[in-house]
Amino acid sequence: MGPDDPAGCYILQVPELPEVEVTRRGIALQLAGRRISRVEVREPRLRWPVPQAVRKLAGRTVRAVRRRGKYLLFDCGDGHLIVHLGMSGSLRVLPSGTPAGKHDHFDLVLGDRLLRLRDPRRFGAVLWTAGELAAHPLLAHLGVEPLSRAFAPARLYFLTRGQRISIKQFLMDARRIVGVGNIYASESLFRAGVHPRTPARRLSRSRCAALAQAIKETLRVAIRAGGSSLRDYVGADGAAGEFQLRTWVYDREGLPCRRCGTPIRRIVQGARATYFCPQCQKR
Ligand SMILES: [Zn+2]
């Protein structure tokens, strides 16, 4: 299986945590410390209506760009602009005055550059909150950040106690752990050698430790892969970077396992496809 194996690369269609994190890093480099000069809302009908408060952000300074789960949080001092990319959204930094296309619904203009949201399906969100972030209805129930120090092996063991659902479905529950989407759940379970149908509560301490480590590694590898396309997210030409991943199991049904050669299997759990190696992954 060479690097040109077409089944080996998966192009992300829905932005997941690594893609959002790569976007955040690119935006933070370009925008942190800059003053908002103008806001342009071309289409307020996103997943939720863009509130009037967003149109009045001119004059504020973007102090920092943070992330919670898949939400980007622009710290403006007295409140936060909250941006979610939904199913098809992308953000880019462009020179001010760049003509907008059909799906370019929102611009934050900061002097000589602007941040532009393109979202053909309009499941994305642009919101404002002056309140406590942790108490915001969209953020209050989010689980632990998998890349944070708080997500230690002991934490995963603690979280899974008493949980009868399969570990695959457990990993995808954002109320417990945020940002482990369908692709990364399959990939992490493969790395840890855990069968996706294993009941969460049956995982031993040592297997929880291996799985927590595998989740962090899987996400970091994806962020690194995305980092190589960082240039494209912030480039003056506005070309979108393609976020390609070389997957171990995801979307590889019937293809030989990259470790042992056994054909990869596909099953459905909670209406979502799961891919795994029946040889490398044990209950
Ligand atoms: Zn295998």
Side-chain angles (χ1 to χ4, degrees), residues 2-18:
D4 297 320
D5 161 28
C9 285
Y10 189 76
I11 300 170
L12 292 187
Q13 281 150 355
V14 177
E16 296 216 36
L17 186 149

Side-chain angles (χ1 to χ4, degrees), residues 108-174:
L108 201 62
V109 185
L110 307 100
D112 64 355
R113 59 195 70 178
L114 60 81
L115 177 71
R116 176 163 288 168
L117 172 70
R118 172 172 292 179
D119 188 2
R121 295 179 64 185
R122 294 198 276 119
F123 281 109
V126 177
L127 300 166
W128 170 259
T129 180
E132 188 62 42
L133 267 185
H136 191 277
L138 289 172
L139 309 174
H141 304 290
L142 295 180
V144 62
E145 286 285 338
L147 290 172
S148 71
R149 226 178 291 169
F151 186 60
R155 182 74 171 265
L156 184 59
Y157 182 76
F158 170 76
L159 285 172
T160 49
R161 292 312 90 186
Q163 300 298 320
R164 292 165 186 271
I165 58 166
S166 72
I167 186 62
K168 162 74 182 339
Q169 286 168 281
F170 178 89
L171 293 182
M172 290 181 61
D173 183 349

